């Protein structure tokens, strides 16, 4: 995924301004820091290689989606113990092919809990040993990665794991989310439903878990990865700090002894490799959004794994060093790897002082695994941020949407799910009522990712949640309102009327699919209501096609023409993949979508049935995606993307080379960067437009490759119709330099024939590779590989067996649901 610096991280910028002149080394730093822990004699740490070819902060376990033989990690790892006084290092484990990570000591500092990828084993598992390396026990196993463990006050272990069976929405690697287990590794439970990474869980003194949560439900994929808290059973998940501060990965946070502060790493932008960033302290008493809560200790952003000895003294890692750091950012080395290891790319990681510590309070369980659901009380939907202008009683329902995990991924963008929009398929679960006093009481399936859209009396979107919530089995939780203020107290109703009845069950919307598929569900509506005018052959209202808007289902190199045109014309408003959030009411979703205003009869008599209007509305409010299956990922595209690079291009086809010469010689006199929008020279030519952040609306997109090439009816390609004379069936929009004749007088022109040959070759290619809405479509082998690994498809499924992608996706999602214990 490309790291996007377009939105300056406001909080980090504020913090940096406060750190000028800091980080000056002091000769007394070592003695000053160690003086805060006079009993400190040893430090346990890990040594491993890093993968410099992938700088993502989370890409340090698993293999890459397209190729299971390509790993994100490199071989070589050690678990070590440093004698702080003598400088002697003892290797507790030395595995030249394996990997060691995340050591942590138990409360009395007698045992080490850590993750070990043994030898050529591709997976990390939790292990435990004595401080001298003896009495080694493996706690977890299986075809999953378990790492970043921490001991809980009740004796259990919280860790992150790929057992959640999902992949990063915008990258080629797997996701790990919060899990817990008993001290011996038994009774493993998933306690989060996040679609994205969660990292570095750590107990707070009050018994909650502090952790990093990455999310982009309706928001930018690269801006929101902040500190959250939850009870050890997964209940009471809530923002801890930074959710209104885009552009920082807040990670590796721990409470500072004898204070109410925490220390954390703020990794700038979308995060740096292995969590590197600035060392900061936070004062949570100032609330979750106040930049004044941040005190930046290190001006430079190359530190990792901070361990607080006090508010004045820390131990940190940087590259191949373990350092003592004081509260002004001064550093002094405690240990440095030998030169040979530094040259080989080894770093030190997770230095942990061998000191006893308190694990905090024990929080009693609030879950019941025998239940399939949890309950949510909403006191008053009008209470919250940016709710101006909404009147009491205006919101009648909540539309309940489920964000659906990805079983595999290949790209760095959202293709082909959307053009510049959502990375995620979303399920329309149904609606629940909101009472006249603004309250709601509802029951939700446990351990799934849901968000809400507030609907008015016409079922139009008023406000979007732009985050997600999870209820645990048997959990009863509540919220004050919609985007409630975390630093403002309010008196909820003494008796919200929603509590006068049992919790509302989600009512499905009748006659609509749970997961929308544009060609299957939306294109037929456009065919019946719009294509009579918005087709290539129509010449209504003074133009070759109505309003210069094509709404046919013809295939382009990646999308259908109608899907692409609806997007770039701004006919629906989804508000997704933006660096800002919590927008004003009715600015996104169905209420802000012009498409729904054009089918009420006022636009040249165009109308749809009430059911069709419902379909269009829900499609918009549920991500407005193109395919309705994740099996479409990485398939059916000419010039698609893999690891942010274009693949499957046509640039070397003989027909493409000939056609490119025609574009250069016959078109560029007008279609240049200084004149009309430049034309693509081939089916894969993006003309420099960012795929994952296109400029919408942008007039140059009307000559995008996604529109000018018709791979269903090549003769209807705009690149052929625009320069062709009207007498020959063209539009004659393009003329020769003297502006008197069409570029192509008839279809026998060699230039016309060369362009037609390229588009026809694209049609033939598409019919060979197939798209999700075409006969004989086959998902990629890696999709089938993962579905077999998850137990969704039979392990012995024949390579040429027919697979219903929609049913397979559904079985995959159902396999992740919580099933009550019997």
């Amino acid at each position: 995924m490309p790291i996007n610096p377009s939105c300056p991280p406001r909080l980090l910028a504020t913090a940096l301004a406060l750190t000028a002149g800091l980080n000056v080394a002091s000769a007394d730093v070592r003695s000053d820091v160690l003086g805060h822990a006079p009993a400190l004699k040893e430090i346990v740490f890990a040594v491993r290689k890093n993968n410099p070819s992938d700088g993502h902060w989370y890409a340090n376990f698993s293999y890459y989606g397209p190729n299971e033989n390509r790993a994100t990690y490199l071989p070589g790892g050690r678990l070590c113990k440093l004698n702080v006084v003598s400088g002697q290092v003892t290797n507790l484990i030395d595995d030249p092919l394996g990997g060691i990570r995340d050591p942590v000591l138990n409360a009395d500092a007698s045992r080490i809990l850590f993750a070990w990828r043994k030898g050529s084993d591709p997976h990390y598992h939790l292990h435990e040993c004595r401080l001298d390396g003896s009495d080694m026990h493996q706690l977890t196993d299986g075809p999953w990665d378990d790492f970043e463990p921490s001991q809980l006050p009740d004796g259990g272990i919280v860790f992150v794991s790929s057992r959640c069976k999902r992949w990063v929405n915008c990258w080629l690697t797997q996701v790990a989310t919060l899990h817990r287990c008993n001290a011996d590794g038994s009774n493993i439970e998933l306690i989060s439903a996040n679609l994205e990474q969660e990292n570095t869980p750590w107990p707070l003194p009050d018994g909650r878990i502090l952790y990093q949560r990455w999310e982009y439900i309706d928001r930018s994929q690269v801006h929101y990865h902040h500190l959250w808290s939850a009870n050890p059973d997964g209940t009471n998940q809530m923002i801890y700090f930074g959710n209104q501060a885009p552009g920082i990965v807040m990670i590796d946070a721990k409470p500072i002894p004898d204070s109410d502060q925490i220390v954390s790493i703020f990794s700038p932008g979308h995060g740096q490799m292995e969590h590197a960033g600035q060392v900061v302290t936070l004062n949570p008493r100032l609330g979750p959004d106040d930049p004044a809560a941040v005190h930046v200790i290190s001006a430079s952003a190359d530190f990792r794994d901070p361990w607080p000895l006090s508010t004045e003294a820390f131990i940190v890692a940087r590259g191949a060093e373990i350092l003592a750091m004081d509260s002004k950012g001064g550093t002094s080395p405690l240990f440095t790897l030998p030169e040979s290891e530094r040259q080989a790319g080894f770093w030190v990681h997770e230095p942990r002082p061998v000191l006893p510590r308190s694990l905090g309070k024990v929080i009693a369980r609030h879950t019941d695994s025998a239940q399939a659901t949890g309950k949510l009380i909403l006191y008053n939907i009008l209470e919250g941020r940016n709710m101006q202008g909404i009147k009491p009683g205006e919101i009648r329902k909540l539309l309940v949407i489920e964000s659906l995990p990805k079983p595999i991924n290949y790209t760095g963008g959202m293709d082909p799910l959307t053009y510049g929009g959502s990375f995620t398929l979303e399920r329309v679960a149904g609606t629940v009522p909101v009472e006249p006093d603004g309250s709601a009481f509802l029951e939700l399936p446990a351990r799934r990712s849901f968000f809400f859209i507030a609907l008015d009396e016409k079922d139009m979107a008023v406000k979007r949640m732009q985050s997600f919530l999870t209820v645990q089995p048997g959990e009863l939780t509540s919220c004050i309102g919609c985007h409630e203020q975390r630093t403002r107290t309010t008196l909820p109703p003494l008796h919200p009327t929603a509590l006068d009845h049992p919790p509302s069950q989600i009512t499905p919307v009748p006659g609509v699919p749970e997961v929308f598929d544009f060609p299957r569900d939306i294109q037929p509506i456009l065919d019946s209501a719009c294509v009579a005018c918005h087709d290539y052959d129509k010449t209504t209202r003074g133009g070759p096609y109505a309003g210069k808007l094509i709404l046919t289902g013809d295939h382009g190199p990646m999308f259908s023409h109608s899907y692409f045109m609806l997007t770039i014309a701004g006919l629906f408003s989804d508000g997704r993949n933006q660096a800002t959030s919590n927008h004003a009411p009715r600015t996104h979703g169905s209420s802000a979508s012009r498409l729904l205003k054009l089918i009420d009869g006022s636009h040249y008599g165009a109308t749809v049935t009430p059911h069709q209007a419902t379909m269009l509305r829900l499609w918009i409010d549920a991500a407005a995606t193109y395919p309705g299956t994740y099996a479409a990922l990485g398939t059916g595209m000419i010039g698609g993307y893999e690891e942010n690079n274009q693949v499957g291009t046509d640039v070397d086809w003989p027909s493409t080379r000939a056609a490119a010469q025609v574009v250069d010689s016959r078109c560029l006199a007008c279609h240049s960067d200084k004149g009309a929008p430049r034309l693509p020279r081939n089916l894969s030519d993006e003309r420099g437009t960012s795929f994952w952040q296109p400029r919408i609306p942008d007039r140059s997109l009307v000559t995008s490759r996604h529109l000018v090439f018709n791979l269903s009816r090549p003769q209807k390609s705009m690149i052929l119709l625009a320069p062709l004379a009207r007498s020959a069936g063209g539009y004659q929009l393009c003329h020769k330099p003297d502006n008197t004749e069409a570029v192509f007088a008839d279809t026998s022109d060699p230039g016309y024939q060369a362009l037609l040959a390229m588009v026809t070759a694209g049609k033939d290619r598409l019919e060979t590779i197939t798209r999700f809405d075409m006969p004989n479509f086959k998902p990629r082998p890696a999709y089938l590989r993962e579905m077999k690994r998850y137990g969704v498809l039979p392990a012995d499924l024949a390579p040429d067996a027919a697979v219903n992608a929609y049913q397979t996706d559904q079985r995959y999602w159902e396999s992740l649901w919580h099933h009550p214990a019997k």
Side-chain angles (χ1 to χ4, degrees):
M1 176 170 48
I3 295 176
N4 173 25
S6 63
C7 177
R10 297 188 298 271
L11 186 58
L12 185 60
T14 301
L16 280 171
L18 301 175
T19 60
L22 296 184
N23 207 35
V24 178
S26 166
D28 296 326
V29 168
R30 176 188 172 102
S31 59
D32 287 349
V33 167
L34 296 182
H36 286 263
L40 175 60
K41 299 296 185 292
E42 295 177 313
I43 295 175
V44 170
F45 63 97
V47 175
R48 62 181 180 273
K49 281 187 179 180
N50 304 299
N51 182 3
S53 66
D54 193 328
H56 293 90
W57 54 271
Y58 52 84
N60 50 25
F61 73 100
S62 107
Y63 49 86
Y64 287 86
N67 181 3
E68 62 182 326
N69 295 316
R70 179 189 169 202
T72 61
Y73 48 78
L74 297 176
R78 304 203 315 270
L79 178 64
C80 304
K81 185 171 60 175
L82 168 70
N83 185 301
V84 177
V85 178
S86 68
Q88 180 181 353
V89 173
T90 302
N91 289 336
L92 305 179
I93 299 174
D94 188 354
D95 190 340
L97 296 179
I100 303 289
R101 56 177 299 166
D102 315 312
V104 60
L105 289 104
N106 63 349
D108 65 4
S110 63
R111 299 187 68 84
I112 309 170
L113 178 65
F114 61 99
W116 184 4
R117 182 179 54 78
K118 289 185 178 180
S120 58
D121 188 328
H123 301 293
Y124 284 96
H125 301 302
L126 300 186
H127 291 71
E128 187 184 49
C129 67
R130 294 187 187 275
L131 196 57
D132 61 1
S134 64
D135 192 26
M136 184 76 64
H137 294 289
Q138 181 170 331
L139 304 181
T140 64
D141 58 15
W144 321 107
D145 290 276
D146 305 320
F147 55 101
E148 294 181 351
S150 184
Q151 188 176 7
L152 293 169
D154 63 5
I157 299 170
V158 62
F159 61 102
V160 300
S161 177
S162 65
R163 295 169 187 270
C164 56
K165 304 176 185 177
R166 58 202 65 184
W167 289 66
V168 176
N169 278 344
C170 52
W171 199 233
L172 296 75
T173 54
Q174 293 180 59
V175 164
T177 61
L178 291 184
H179 289 65
R180 66 161 293 157
C181 65
N182 295 338
D184 61 0
S186 62
N187 194 29
I188 295 175
E189 296 178 83
L190 180 147
I191 57 174
S192 169
N194 198 354
L195 273 59
E196 288 293 356
Q197 304 284 353
E198 291 166 333
N199 288 100
T200 58
W202 203 264
L204 290 166
D206 63 10
R208 291 178 298 160
I209 300 167
L210 180 64
Y211 63 100
Q212 181 277 145
R213 165 165 145 170
W214 179 18
E215 63 171 52
Y216 45 92
I217 307 295
D218 287 354
R219 300 197 292 180
S220 164
Q221 80 274 27
V222 295
H223 284 96
Y224 294 93
H225 1 56
H226 301 120
L227 295 178
W228 284 68
S229 65
N231 292 340
D233 60 3
T235 60
N236 195 32
Q237 295 181 18
M238 184 173 293
I239 181 65
Y240 188 86
F241 188 82
N243 200 43
Q244 300 296 314
I248 313 167
V249 177
M250 302 177 183
I251 202 163
D252 286 304
K254 301 173 185 66
I256 300 176
D258 302 319
S259 80
D260 56 6
Q261 299 182 51
I262 67 164
V263 66
S264 180
I265 288 292
F266 277 21
S267 194
H270 185 46
Q272 300 187 109
M273 185 172 69
E274 293 290 350
H275 309 180
Q278 293 180 292
V279 181
V280 309
T281 58
L282 285 175
N283 181 358
R285 291 183 177 273
L286 296 181
D289 303 320
D290 192 343
V294 181
H295 172 69
V296 177
I297 295 175
S298 67
S300 62
D302 54 357
F303 296 100
R304 294 172 287 106
D305 309 316
W307 185 278
L309 299 173
S310 72
T311 57
E312 304 295 323
F314 308 89
I315 292 174
V316 299
R318 181 177 63 185
E321 298 178 294
I322 300 175
L323 302 167
M325 176 179 284
D326 64 23
S327 60
K328 295 182 180 180
T331 61
S332 183
L334 298 175
F335 171 75
T336 303
L337 287 175
E339 176 67 18
S340 59
E341 289 194 293
R342 299 199 301 271
Q343 291 295 326
F346 285 94
W347 283 5
V348 298
H349 297 269
E350 301 100 25
R352 313 299 200 200
V354 181
L355 292 170
R357 59 192 173 93
S358 171
L359 298 179
K361 299 178 181 178
V362 175
I363 297 179
R365 273 187 172 267
H366 294 83
T367 60
D368 179 1
S369 61
Q371 297 191 41
T373 63
K375 300 178 180 66
L376 171 69
I377 303 170
L378 168 65
Y379 284 99
N380 185 355
I381 199 166
L382 297 184
E383 287 285 345
R385 296 181 174 101
N386 211 359
M387 300 291 288
Q388 299 89 341
I390 304 178
K391 300 176 182 178
E394 184 175 348
I395 296 173
R396 305 292 182 84
K397 299 176 185 175
L398 293 178
L399 179 63
V400 182
I401 302 289
E402 180 179 6
S403 291
L404 299 168
K406 268 182 180 167
I408 185 65
N409 210 0
Y410 315 99
T411 183
M414 66 290 293
D415 55 302
L417 291 182
T418 61
Y419 186 63
S422 177
F423 292 76
T424 311
L425 293 178
E426 294 173 355
R427 185 202 310 274
V428 178
T431 64
V432 293
V434 174
E435 302 296 333
D437 66 350
S439 64
F441 183 28
L442 60 148
E443 193 166 16
L444 292 169
R447 292 177 179 163
R448 288 158 66 178
S449 174
F450 292 104
F451 68 93
F452 305 133
I453 301 173
L455 303 180
D456 62 16
E457 75 281 358
K458 296 182 180 179
D459 289 340
M460 302 293 281
V462 178
K463 189 79 173 178
R464 301 182 70 88
M465 184 171 163
Q466 296 194 284
S467 182
F468 76 93
L469 65 80
T470 299
V471 293
Q472 297 297 326
E475 179 181 8
L476 175 62
T477 189
S478 66
C479 55
I480 298 297
C482 184
H483 298 272
E484 64 195 51
Q485 299 276 6
R486 300 294 188 187
T487 56
R488 181 178 132 199
T489 59
T490 185
L491 182 65
L494 295 179
H495 186 78
T497 57
L499 295 183
D500 289 338
H501 53 72
S504 299
Q505 305 299 305
I506 300 173
T507 302
V509 182
V512 303
E514 290 186 335
V515 181
F516 278 90
D517 184 274
F518 183 88
R520 182 193 66 200
D521 303 319
I522 303 302
Q523 187 61 49
I525 302 175
L526 302 179
D527 291 342
S528 66
C530 308
V531 172
C533 294
H534 296 282
D535 196 354
Y536 288 96
D537 296 325
K538 306 306 176 184
T539 57
T540 57
R541 295 189 293 281
Y545 50 99
K548 296 185 178 181
L549 190 72
I550 294 295
L551 294 179
T552 65
D554 296 283
H555 287 133
M558 187 176 291
F559 305 102
S560 71
H561 286 177
S562 55
Y563 183 82
F564 182 77
M565 285 298 296
L566 288 174
T567 304
I568 68 168
L571 290 182
F572 61 85
S573 173
D574 56 6
R576 293 160 178 81
N577 198 29
Q578 297 184 8
T580 57
S581 61
N582 194 9
H583 304 282
R586 300 184 184 276
T587 53
H588 292 297
S590 52
S591 288
S593 295
R594 288 198 300 136
L595 176 62
L596 299 182
K597 298 176 176 64
L598 297 175
I599 44 88
D600 62 0
S602 61
H603 177 69
Y604 298 96
T607 60
V608 298
T609 68
H611 177 70
Q612 290 174 327
T614 297
M615 294 278 285
L616 290 170
R617 172 178 60 82
L618 290 174
W619 170 71
I620 292 170
D621 284 337
T625 55
Y626 178 42
T629 170
Y630 284 133
L633 297 171
T635 66
M637 295 176 284
I638 297 174
Y641 290 85
E642 193 164 293
E643 203 166 347
N644 290 324
N645 297 307
Q646 263 198 321
V647 295
T649 67
D650 65 316
V651 293
D652 292 328
W653 298 357
S655 60
T656 295
R657 293 175 180 172
Q661 294 177 359
V662 175
V663 173
D664 291 345
S665 62
R666 307 284 292 273
C667 305
L668 291 189
C670 295
H671 287 280
S672 64
D673 291 333
K674 296 181 180 180
R678 187 172 72 82
L679 289 176
R681 300 177 73 247
N682 53 65
L683 305 177
S684 308
D685 186 2
E686 296 281 24
R687 305 171 309 152
T689 299
S690 167
F691 174 78
W692 63 282
Q693 275 195 329
R695 301 175 299 274
I696 298 173
D698 183 340
R699 77 181 189 97
S700 71
L701 292 177
V702 300
T703 55
S704 165
R705 72 185 184 105
H706 300 294
L707 184 62
V708 299
F709 301 120
N710 190 321
L711 305 189
S712 297
R713 297 179 289 171
Q715 290 86 350
K716 299 300 180 184
S717 295
M718 199 66 69
I719 202 167
L720 297 172
L721 292 173
L724 181 64
R726 291 190 184 94
S727 60
Y731 296 160
Q732 202 169 329
L733 298 176
C734 299
H735 304 83
K736 292 181 179 180
D738 60 9
N739 206 34
T740 59
E741 300 179 25
V743 176
F744 301 139
D746 55 52
T747 59
S748 65
D749 187 298
Y752 178 96
Q753 289 296 320
L755 292 174
L756 176 61
M758 176 179 65
V759 183
T760 301
K763 177 179 184 293
D764 294 342
R765 174 63 176 166
L766 184 58
E767 290 174 349
T768 299
I769 62 176
T770 67
R771 191 169 292 177
F772 67 94
D773 61 339
M774 298 172 67
N776 303 316
F777 168 71
K778 290 186 180 298
R780 285 182 64 159
Y783 172 91
L784 302 177
R785 177 198 72 212
E786 293 302 300
M787 290 301 191
K788 292 178 181 179
R789 186 166 76 100
Y790 304 148
V792 174
L793 291 176
D796 59 353
L797 182 76
D800 58 347
V803 173
N804 185 310
Y806 300 91
Q807 293 178 2
T808 303
D809 273 4
Q810 182 62 31
R811 289 197 298 268
Y812 159 67
W813 295 320
E814 291 176 358
S815 74
L816 305 176
W817 294 355
H818 168 66
H819 299 285
K822 296 181 180 179

